[in-house]
Amino acid sequence: TGTNGKSTVTYMLKAILETCGYKVGLVGTIQNMIGDRILPSGHTTPDPYDLHSMFALMAAEGCTYAVMEVSSHALDQDRVEDCFFDAAIFTNLTQDHLDFHKTMEAYGAAKARLFRLCRTGVLNADDPAYRTMLQGAACTPLLVGTGKDATLRAEQVQLAPDHVAMDVREGEKAAHVRIGIPGRFTVSNALLTLGIARALGIGLEDACRALGTAAGVKGRIEVVPTPGRDYTVLIDYAHTPDGLENILRSVRDFCRGRLIVLFGCGGDRDRTKRPIMGEIAARLADVLVVTSDNPRTEEPMAIIREILAGIPQTEKPVYVEENRRRAIRMTLRFAQKDDMLVL
């Protein structure tokens, strides 16, 4: 559970377990899976009837493990109340879903319920909210991160346009891992995944070797093939202030040209984050295009106006194009050598 990183971590963990010879089921935002077979996904975490039906299918088809995303909505609505988890992960806690939870305290308390339903809790010690997760927890904690509090720690981190490499230390043991998913947040996601692998009894070197086989997740810092072009296009699902800031700062780490950003905010969701995301995008982009993104029942231009309210007066070019297809075409026309376009 966590605001960002859930899908990526579940796919990383599935890759590790499958490389170690297990058949794995997956439940999550993008799709549900039984081994390689894909099943449609309606919610990040299904209701109990559908969830347990899926578990039964996984067991019948020989899955040893189920890896799943658990949303704060699901925890608040008791969708996993009769599940017991071998291990649970806390990725991070940043602003999202306040339309449902109303306050960050209530949002954090909902996520913390998962750590009363598990044997081991693997927590991102680089996010201070991990302490909230442990209030009333019934699990054995395993802290991961880049600081001295972490039992599993990243050292010698190297960031590149197409991968992250680092040494992972656990006490006297250390192993090297190279993951083909760029971005600083890959460090946290990888450590959390390795923490779960260790909690399940997989050796550190074996887990690092297996993690090296993990591919990126569709829509998560996904590189779009642009043969013959001298710029790079990335698609990312970032839909929270923290998620947007993380992806843009990560791309800055390896961007040699300009950073051109196209984004919008979804309708019928937390409205308070819209101006915050506008300010972040305007501050970190060299060129900004604001457009529509799944407005649901809201008027697209009304959402865009709320985004623009957070953008200060700036000399940087800021464009508004409600039609997303036209906005993407416009963004591609802006692209020059070595630019990075984040959609």
Side-chain angles (χ1 to χ4, degrees):
T1 198
T3 309
N4 300 308
K6 295 188 296 295
S7 296
T8 301
V9 169
T10 56
Y11 277 76
M12 282 180 166
L13 182 54
K14 187 172 186 285
I16 285 183
L17 292 170
E18 287 176 340
T19 302
C20 292
Y22 301 106
K23 187 170 182 179
V24 182
L26 181 140
V27 179
T29 307
I30 302 168
Q31 59 195 17
N32 301 318
M33 300 180 76
I34 297 178
D36 293 330
R37 185 154 72 90
I38 294 171
L39 305 171
S41 172
H43 298 285
T44 296
T45 311
D47 66 55
Y49 181 84
D50 289 336
L51 181 61
H52 285 270
S53 298
M54 207 174 307
F55 287 157
L57 272 176
M58 290 174 185
E61 295 194 23
C63 290
T64 313
Y65 287 100
V67 180
M68 65 182 291
E69 299 179 49
V70 184
S71 67
S72 56
H73 292 70
L75 288 157
D76 204 60
Q77 295 170 353
D78 297 333
R79 292 185 219 161
V80 293
E81 199 58 32
D82 283 322
C83 298
F84 188 76
F85 297 84
D86 283 318
I89 286 173
F90 167 67
T91 61
N92 52 36
L93 186 73
T94 61
Q95 183 176 335
D96 199 16
H97 302 306
L98 296 191
D99 53 316
F100 180 85
H101 295 289
K102 307 306 179 192
T103 66
M104 286 297 292
E105 289 72 23
Y107 180 37
K111 291 200 172 297
R113 292 177 68 171
L114 184 61
F115 298 91
R116 297 170 210 153
L117 302 171
C118 67
R119 188 171 290 112
T120 303
V122 180
L123 301 107
N124 177 11
D126 292 338
D127 188 321
Y130 85 86
R131 294 183 180 89
T132 301
M133 300 302 118
L134 290 176
Q135 290 171 9
C139 60
T140 302
L142 171 60
L143 302 184
V144 308
T146 56
K148 62 181 187 304
D149 292 341
T151 303
L152 199 68
R153 195 168 66 250
E155 298 178 345
Q156 305 296 323
V157 175
Q158 299 172 316
L159 305 174
D162 61 346
H163 73 274
V164 167
M166 61 184 176
D167 294 332
V168 180
R169 180 165 296 282
E170 182 185 25
E172 295 301 309
K173 290 181 286 190
H176 186 75
V177 63
R178 183 186 189 277
I179 311 123
I181 305 171
R184 192 172 293 278
F185 43 81
T186 296
V187 176
S188 294
N189 291 341
L191 287 171
L192 290 163
T193 308
L194 292 169
I196 285 275
R198 296 295 293 122
L200 297 176
I202 298 170
L204 181 62
E205 284 198 9
D206 288 342
C208 285
R209 196 177 306 114
L211 184 56
T213 68
V217 180
K218 192 170 177 61
R220 308 300 202 275
I221 203 163
E222 177 185 355
V223 180
V224 180
T226 51
R229 308 298 172 112
D230 52 9
Y231 54 80
T232 304
V233 179
L234 301 172
I235 296 176
D236 195 80
Y237 175 73
H239 63 287
T240 66
D242 182 67
L244 184 63
E245 182 148 5
N246 272 334
I247 178 66
L248 299 186
R249 286 193 181 281
S250 291
V251 173
R252 274 274 178 231
D253 286 335
F254 47 78
C255 180
R256 296 200 306 273
R258 298 175 304 164
L259 177 55
I260 303 174
V261 177
L262 174 145
F263 94 106
C265 291
D268 300 336
R269 296 294 186 269
D270 180 5
R271 292 174 58 185
T272 64
K273 65 185 180 183
R274 293 171 186 171
I276 301 170
M277 292 176 72
E279 186 279 326
I280 290 167
R283 172 163 41 89
L284 296 176
D286 296 308
V287 179
L288 176 61
V289 179
V290 182
T291 188
S292 183
D293 177 7
N294 194 9
R296 299 183 176 90
T297 66
E298 288 192 66
E299 174 60 41
M301 278 308 299
I303 298 173
I304 288 171
R305 281 193 293 272
E306 291 188 345
I307 294 170
L308 294 174
I311 297 177
Q313 289 294 318
T314 174
E315 294 181 4
K316 295 179 186 177
V318 178
Y319 301 91
V320 175
E321 172 51 69
E322 179 187 331
N323 182 287
R324 192 175 185 86
R325 286 175 182 270
R326 284 202 295 267
I328 291 171
R329 286 195 195 101
M330 177 198 297
T331 307
L332 291 169
R333 282 199 299 271
F334 294 150
Q336 300 170 9
K337 186 177 186 298
D338 292 334
D339 287 350
M340 301 207 75
L341 283 60
V342 177
L343 310 182

